[in-house]
Each structure stands twice: as structure tokens, then as C-alpha cells.
Amino acid sequence: MSFTTVKEILTGNYEDEHVFMRGWVYRKRESKKTIFLLIRDATGIIQSTIKEGSKAWKEAQRITIESSASLSGTVRKEKRAPGEYEITVDEIAIIGLAEKFPIAKDLSEEFLRDVRHLWLRSRKMNLIMRIRSEVLWAMHSFFRERGFIEISPPMFITSACEGGATLFSAKYFDRDLYLTQSAQLYSEILIYSLEKVYTCAPSFRAEKSRTIRHLTEYWHVEPEWAFADLNDVMQIEEELVSFVCKRIAEGCSKELEELKVDPGELIKIKPPFPRITYEEAVERLQRKGFDITWGTDMGFDEEKALAEDFQGPFFVYDYPKEIKAFYCKTYRDKPGIAMSVDMLVPKIGELTTGGAREDDGTELTKRIEESGLSLEDYEWYVDMRRYGTVPHVGFGLGVERLLMWMLGLNNIIDTIPFPRTMRRSYP
Ligand code: 4AD
Ligand code: MG
């Protein structure tokens, strides 16, 4: 037997056709002589009606919300039904009868997080997960179309990429290792062979702060490529973000509308994005009354305030080297400034960090020592620079932050099926 999906019924030519379908009961409403069941499957929701006296009546009476079932019936045009079609059911077979479903209206966010394994069935989460998958696919397409090769980085690592404060340690037989914070240092190895590489993999951060934009495990897209400079980084970043926005606006317009996101706003995202230096950012913030001086890092509040000056994404570049990582290349004529860039977006702040990597072995050794790190931990990283070093760049983008911004979500935890934060690692 072949089954028809809800999407096929709502978008195809099925009027007056007899169909078989299967799914779960999303809502149930009863009147004296009719039972209305909203049936959901992976692709959508459709109304079905069961008349008293029909063969399906008894099972329709017995069936509960979230029960799984297969049913057969005739598709009819019905203006009042969601999607404007409904199924007049002649037979229902219950597959799994559900107990009383604990999720009803007006439940607290906390409770929904406790029952995440059930909440993921909601229409909202179905739509977000669908768009998440499309966003990932769009990013893969973008890099492949430009000749980048996807590589698989290790998750167990021996030394920090982004500072010791957010490293998770992991017991590894009789030694201590860490969980990766970024694939970058490993991707740098591969550019000597493949030139243009990228990763799409989890990164782990022991973030102790409770914020709307931090997870302890997030998905990180990180390209790295040879023979390029800071300007190329900004250019690829703005092209990537615009490409993803356009693909989602065009390919997921129905999903976006259901989530009350205007696809037109995403279509508007186009290169070039505004670019300001760190110095200008500090001046803007001072004018807004922030107590910030040159050399101080920006936090969430500063980034949000700065973003109010721009309608969409923008870049801040040329940071003091002290507030950027040891691997950042500095200008030879301005040794205090790192060739580093962040992309910021409204309401969330930082979406990416990238820049040029220190490709000179001697300079790199100096930077590692200055940063108080142990040279021994970075032996292989420096070693690469001895054999045919090249100028190279890269950046990292948090997939969940991108989704949060594109969909206007209030909290990062809604962008990933099983969010990990300091307080939550269940289910
Ligand atoms: O700014 P970060 O720490 O930069 C790096 O890891 C570089 N090694 C990337 C590179 O050049 N290859 O992280 C990059 C991005 C951030 O801009 C942010 O979008 C995201 O990763 N990110 C997080 N997302 C969710 N939860 C967290 N705790 C995150 N920490 C960083
Ligand atoms: Mg950063």
C-alpha cells in the first residue's frame, strides 16, 4: 500500500481522490455527530472528519491526542479547514494509543525543557528543525560551489584554541585531554595539502554564564584557506550569510511564514556589509555613554548597543592584539593590531570571528610566549610554519546563532534539538 503525505494532499491534485495516510493526532474535537481530528505527519497538518455511523466511528471515539494511526478516506475541498482540504475518513487503524499527553496550552518554558523529548513534536520545533537542516545544506553547497573540501576534525584535543577558561577536560584512559573548542588549528594543517577546507562539526565550551546566546555544545562552521587576507575573509563571510538567507527565503517561505518571519527581510540581506574598525566601535560606544576605552573587549551589552546603529549584519575589524587569540596575525607596521574581524548582527551581537593567521614561525613563537601558553603544547602548530608557510585565513560561525538571528528567536536553545547549557544536559 502506498501512503500519501499531508503536503502532497495540500499541494497536489487530490480532490475527490481516495488516499491512505498515517501520522499522529494533533488535535481532537467532538460534536454530537462528527469527530474532527487534526492529523500531523512530518510534512504538515490536515483536518479529518469522521461521521457517526461510519466504520471509523468507534476508533475515532477511542483515539487520543498524540496517538499514531493510519487512516483512509476521500479528500474534499473545505474552505474552513487549515490548508483548505480535509479528509472524510472511512477507516482508522490505531497504531499506538497515547496516554494523556502532558503538553497542553500555557505551560512554562521550564516544563517544556523537561519534556523536550515530547516538545520536539510541536509544530514550532518541526519547522525550526526543518529550516536548520536547510541552513546546514545551504552552507555545504556554498563552500562546495567555491571549491572548499570538507574535512573531519578531531573532538579529543591536547591544547586550547580559544583559551583555557572554557575548556572541558575529558578523561582519556590515564591522561587528561580536552573537548575541542574549534577545528581551526587542525584545519590549518590541511590547507598545506588541500588549500581550501571547511568543517561543520560540534565545538564545546564550558560556558558558565547563563545567556540567551551561549551553549556548551554548538555546531561550528569553520572554513580555512590559503593565499588570502583579511579582506577576503569579510568578502566570503558576507557572501555566505547572504547566500544562506536567500536560499532559506526562497526554499522555506511557507515555513518562515508559519513562524511569522518575513522572507522579504532575509532577501534584503546582501553584500557588502558595513565595515567599521574596532577604534570606531569604541568611539561609537563612548558616544552612547559606555565606559569603554581602547583595549577593552566588548561584551553582549556593548555589541547589542553597537548593532542598533545598523539594520543588519556588519563587521568590526582591526582589534588590539591583547583581546584576540595567540594565532592572530598582526600588522608588521602596527604590531599592536590584530588582523581579526567579527561579524555582528542585531539583538545577538557576535555571529562570527575570523582573520589572518600568524604565518611566521618566529612571530608565532613570540605570541605564544606572550600569551602565557606553553610552547610544548603547540609544537606541531609552529612546526608547520617551517615548511612552505603561506598567508592564510579563516573564520568560525555558530550555526545556532545564525538560526537565532534569521528566525528572530529569543533564546538559542530553540535552534538545536538537544540543547546543552550549564544547567541542562537532559534529555
Ligand atoms: O569566536 P570564536 O571563539 O572563534 C573561534 O573559535 C575561531 N577559532 C574560529 C575560527 O577562526 N575558525 O567562535 C566562533 C563563533 C562565534 O562567533 C559564535 O558565533 C560561536 O562560534 N560561538 C558559540 N555559539 C554558541 N554557544 C557558544 N558558547 C559559542 N561560542 C562561540
Ligand atoms: Mg569570537
Side-chain angles (χ1 to χ4, degrees):
M1 192 186 294
S2 80
F3 293 92
T4 312
T5 66
V6 171
K7 190 174 179 185
E8 283 166 344
I9 296 171
L10 296 181
T11 58
N13 254 329
Y14 282 89
E15 200 172 341
D16 298 327
E17 295 262 329
H18 189 255
V19 295
F20 292 93
M21 61 163 300
R22 55 197 164 179
W24 290 262
V25 177
Y26 184 65
R27 299 262 185 278
K28 179 174 181 178
R29 190 158 57 82
E30 293 173 65
S31 69
K32 254 199 194 132
K33 292 187 177 340
T34 316
I35 295 175
F36 297 93
L37 298 177
L38 284 184
I39 304 288
R40 64 168 180 87
D41 70 4
T43 66
I45 295 173
I46 193 163
Q47 174 167 297
S48 64
T49 56
I50 299 98
K51 292 261 179 282
E52 190 183 9
S54 76
K55 217 166 142 195
W57 183 251
K58 257 197 129 142
E59 288 300 78
Q61 280 185 309
R62 198 165 74 88
I63 206 163
T64 49
I65 296 220
E66 285 305 310
S67 291
S68 50
S70 62
L71 42 99
S72 64
T74 308
V75 178
R76 309 249 185 249
K77 187 101 192 142
E78 172 51 70
K79 276 248 164 324
R80 288 162 300 178
E84 303 198 349
Y85 286 98
E86 65 166 24
I87 298 176
T88 311
V89 176
D90 43 52
E91 257 185 282
I92 297 184
I94 296 174
I95 300 169
L97 187 68
E99 295 178 22
K100 187 170 166 33
F101 199 60
I103 301 178
K105 267 195 188 137
D106 303 329
L107 291 167
S108 73
E109 289 281 313
E110 277 308 294
F111 178 75
L112 294 180
R113 284 164 205 172
D114 288 337
V115 294
R116 189 82 175 176
H117 56 295
L118 303 176
W119 177 235
L120 282 167
R121 302 179 181 197
S122 67
R123 185 71 185 147
K124 178 179 172 186
M125 294 312 282
N126 171 299
L127 293 167
I128 296 173
M129 292 308 130
R130 201 173 270 285
I131 294 173
R132 180 185 169 98
S133 164
E134 295 296 317
V135 164
L136 287 169
W137 187 25
M139 285 198 278
H140 282 285
S141 313
F142 177 88
F143 286 114
R144 279 164 180 277
E145 282 172 17
R146 282 160 184 75
F148 284 73
I149 312 274
E150 186 185 10
I151 55 158
S152 309
M155 298 291 112
F156 281 126
I157 51 135
T158 51
S159 37
C161 180
E162 298 303 325
T166 61
L167 268 184
F168 271 114
S169 46
K171 195 108 209 100
Y172 192 77
F173 304 107
D174 55 354
R175 278 185 295 156
D176 282 324
L177 290 185
Y178 307 106
L179 292 178
T180 187
Q181 297 169 306
S182 160
Q184 180 197 322
L185 305 189
Y186 296 91
S187 297
E188 286 188 54
I189 302 178
L190 270 304
I191 61 129
Y192 289 86
S193 154
L194 300 167
E195 291 189 28
K196 294 158 85 173
V197 301
Y198 76 100
T199 54
C200 176
S203 278
F204 303 89
R205 306 280 173 111
E207 301 281 359
K208 293 192 189 76
S209 44
R210 271 177 68 185
T211 76
I212 56 153
R213 61 174 195 169
H214 285 96
L215 293 165
T216 53
E217 178 184 296
Y218 71 96
W219 282 72
H220 205 171
V221 167
E222 296 182 276
E224 191 74 27
W225 67 109
F227 309 114
D229 62 19
L230 190 64
N231 192 46
D232 299 317
V233 176
M234 291 191 251
Q235 200 181 328
I236 286 264
E237 285 193 31
E238 62 196 10
E239 284 173 9
L240 170 69
V241 169
S242 310
F243 179 92
V244 174
C245 287
K246 182 162 184 278
R247 272 276 282 262
I248 299 306
E250 289 172 356
C252 301
S253 57
K254 286 261 173 322
E255 286 84 354
L256 290 172
E257 277 158 22
E258 230 183 301
L259 287 169
K260 303 197 168 49
V261 179
D262 176 6
E265 289 298 313
L266 293 180
I267 290 280
K268 277 193 214 152
I269 307 297
K270 280 194 188 122
F273 296 172
R275 301 175 179 193
I276 61 167
T277 59
Y278 166 85
E279 194 173 351
E280 184 181 337
V282 168
E283 284 163 11
R284 280 177 185 253
L285 287 167
Q286 285 170 342
R287 266 181 262 132
K288 287 174 190 281
F290 279 86
D291 181 20
I292 183 174
T293 49
W294 199 92
T296 327
D297 206 358
M298 287 185 280
F300 188 27
D301 289 337
E302 286 82 4
E303 290 177 7
K304 263 194 311 194
L306 198 57
E308 283 168 7
D309 293 356
F310 301 88
Q311 265 69 56
F314 62 101
F315 293 111
V316 180
Y317 67 100
D318 281 2
Y319 284 82
K321 71 168 179 189
E322 282 75 19
I323 58 171
K324 288 291 172 181
F326 70 93
Y327 52 72
C328 291
K329 186 170 177 171
T330 48
Y331 292 92
R332 297 300 173 248
D333 56 346
K334 288 180 280 176
I337 311 280
M339 299 175 190
S340 184
V341 60
D342 278 15
M343 188 196 293
L344 273 60
V345 292
K347 296 207 169 86
I348 296 164
E350 182 187 330
L351 176 62
T352 72
T353 292
R357 318 310 191 185
E358 184 49 74
D359 46 64
D360 179 88
T362 314
E363 280 297 320
L364 182 60
T365 305
K366 236 171 52 194
R367 294 276 286 133
I368 292 173
E369 283 171 336
E370 270 174 18
S371 311
L373 299 166
S374 136
L375 266 177
E376 210 178 64
D377 288 342
Y378 297 94
E379 226 165 88
W380 60 260
Y381 188 67
V382 180
D383 197 42
M384 282 191 277
R385 273 70 179 165
R386 296 198 179 97
Y387 312 101
T389 191
V390 283
H392 64 285
V393 299
F395 66 89
L397 173 150
V399 172
E400 291 74 21
R401 287 198 188 173
L402 176 63
L403 271 160
M404 197 183 157
W405 166 65
M406 287 175 67
L407 303 181
L409 300 170
N410 294 327
N411 197 315
I412 197 165
I413 65 170
D414 285 334
T415 62
I416 185 163
F418 305 102
R420 264 71 179 116
T421 61
M422 192 169 107
R423 287 166 54 245
R424 278 203 185 264
S425 48
Y426 172 95

